[in-house]
Amino acid sequence: MTQKIGFIGMGIMGQPMAANILKSGYELMVYNRTKEKTDTIADAGALLASTPAELCNWADAVILMLTGPEAIDAVMYAEQGILSAQTTDKVVINMSTVSPAYSRNLKKCLEPSGLNFIDAPVSGSKKPAMDGSLVILTGGPKELIIRYEQLFLTMGQKVIYCGEAGQGSAMKMTINLLLAVMVEGLCEALNLAQLLKLDTDLVLDSILAGHLGCGLFNFKSDMLKQNEFPVQFPLKHMAKDLRFVLQTADEAGAAVPAGHAAFQLYRQGIGLGNGDLDFAAVKKTLEALSDH
Ligand code: NAP
């Protein structure tokens, strides 16, 4: 409880995750590229850093919840980045979604500076982040992960140990492949049903009444009934994640035909201007490709 936690990235996920850390009694310092997004957490009592280096100098553990590799590289390697700070006996915990290969490489790049590394991407979106009910998929030295388990449990309901650094990201690739394909599949079925003149509410109620009525489909059903897609997990981030999934699958020699098809549909969603909507807006891509 005496640990000082630094948190970089006050986006959709980072803000509620950081708020839960603060509520649990940890000392917290935050940094975000766009300063205005730190106002709420500062009002709640967090300290503000004006650079990643200032945050790293102060903190024992530095959490990253950023878009992806480009953003992580920016906070790591910039002139006032993490690697320009005092780094001995500290740990970097990357909770952003990246590929396993990027995670393993990041670990290697941190080693010469004496920084320990945990990869800890999350399963769950904005609401579980707010409720503190994320599932945290960890990779790295087990004793280090156990040392930070209480910290993880301020943000999540479960911490899963997946293996060495990079294996948390491998688990995240696996889960997001399934997530992307399941939501695209639901949207594809609903789009067909619409063209067959079935009522969308009735179709969803029928799906949810049987074995297909899983938590995910329940969670997305209101959006699909209302045909409005307020963001939980942005479609543009799902397209980004699928790019990592496809690269990772290719390196592993795994066939992912449905993943390739889903990637094209989410990508087209960005082209249609739906990148900032929830990823269930892939339904709009399917409508655009159909004879409505
Ligand atoms: P977001 O709302 O888009 O926030 C992205 C964060 O990254 C912001 O703080 C942004 O700073 C920062 N950033 C982007 N580019 C940067 C750069 N070049 N330099 C410094 N900072 C930069 O994203 P999010 O939804 O919170 O997602 C964060 C991570 O969690 C992603 O890897 C995502 O795939 C993963 N994830 C998201 C969800 C979800 O449901 N949203 C669920 C699970 C996992 P600014 O504010 O300055 O733009």
Side-chain angles (χ1 to χ4, degrees), residues 148-227:
Y148 284 99
E149 192 165 28
Q150 287 311 312
L151 173 66
F152 289 131
L153 288 173
T154 66
M155 298 175 272
Q157 54 166 315
K158 194 168 175 67
V159 182
I160 297 180
Y161 178 67
C162 304
E164 62 190 20
Q167 289 303 89
S169 300
M171 185 69 84
K172 178 67 179 166
M173 297 295 99
T174 307
I175 289 173
N176 271 24
L177 171 63
L178 183 60
L179 179 65
V181 169
M182 281 180 73
V183 168
E184 191 281 327
L186 178 63
C187 291
E188 197 167 312
L190 288 175
N191 183 56
L192 169 66
Q194 255 173 278
L195 285 163
L196 297 177
K197 306 206 180 320
L198 287 165
D199 176 70
T200 299
D201 286 22
L202 185 69
V203 176
L204 275 163
D205 290 348
S206 306
I207 290 170
L208 298 177
H211 287 309
L212 282 170
C214 62
L216 174 66
F217 289 178
N218 261 299
F219 186 50
K220 294 295 177 196
S221 66
D222 280 350
M223 288 185 190
L224 290 161
K225 282 181 180 173
Q226 285 153 23
N227 208 30

Side-chain angles (χ1 to χ4, degrees), residues 8-15 31-35 37 65-68 70-72 74-75 95-98 121-126 134 172 176 231-234 236-238 240-241 244 278:
I8 301 185
M10 292 291 109
I12 295 171
M13 297 295 282
Q15 291 203 32
Y31 169 82
N32 196 62
R33 178 180 62 175
T34 307
K35 294 282 166 291
K37 290 193 199 167
M65 194 55 173
L66 297 161
T67 313
E70 197 191 321
I72 296 171
V75 302
M95 304 189 78
S96 333
T97 304
V98 297
V122 301
S123 179
S125 57
K126 182 179 175 183
L134 295 165
K172 178 67 179 166
N176 271 24
V231 67
Q232 290 279 331
F233 180 32
K236 65 183 178 191
H237 286 353
M238 179 52 95
K240 167 204 70 130
D241 288 2
F244 301 150
D278 189 77

Side-chain angles (χ1 to χ4, degrees), residues 80-162:
Q80 292 295 311
I82 288 173
L83 290 179
S84 70
Q86 193 288 107
T87 53
T88 321
D89 288 333
K90 303 198 172 189
V91 60
V92 169
I93 302 172
N94 178 41
M95 304 189 78
S96 333
T97 304
V98 297
S99 69
Y102 179 86
S103 279
R104 290 191 293 267
N105 189 51
L106 182 58
K107 174 185 177 284
K108 273 198 201 126
C109 293
L110 300 183
E111 271 165 5
S113 307
L115 278 164
N116 295 301
F117 177 70
I118 296 173
D119 74 322
V122 301
S123 179
S125 57
K126 182 179 175 183
K127 186 164 185 312
M130 293 169 79
D131 300 343
S133 63
L134 295 165
V135 176
I136 302 184
L137 312 166
T138 61
K142 200 168 187 177
E143 64 289 352
L144 197 60
I145 290 165
I146 290 168
R147 200 186 311 157
Y148 284 99
E149 192 165 28
Q150 287 311 312
L151 173 66
F152 289 131
L153 288 173
T154 66
M155 298 175 272
Q157 54 166 315
K158 194 168 175 67
V159 182
I160 297 180
Y161 178 67
C162 304

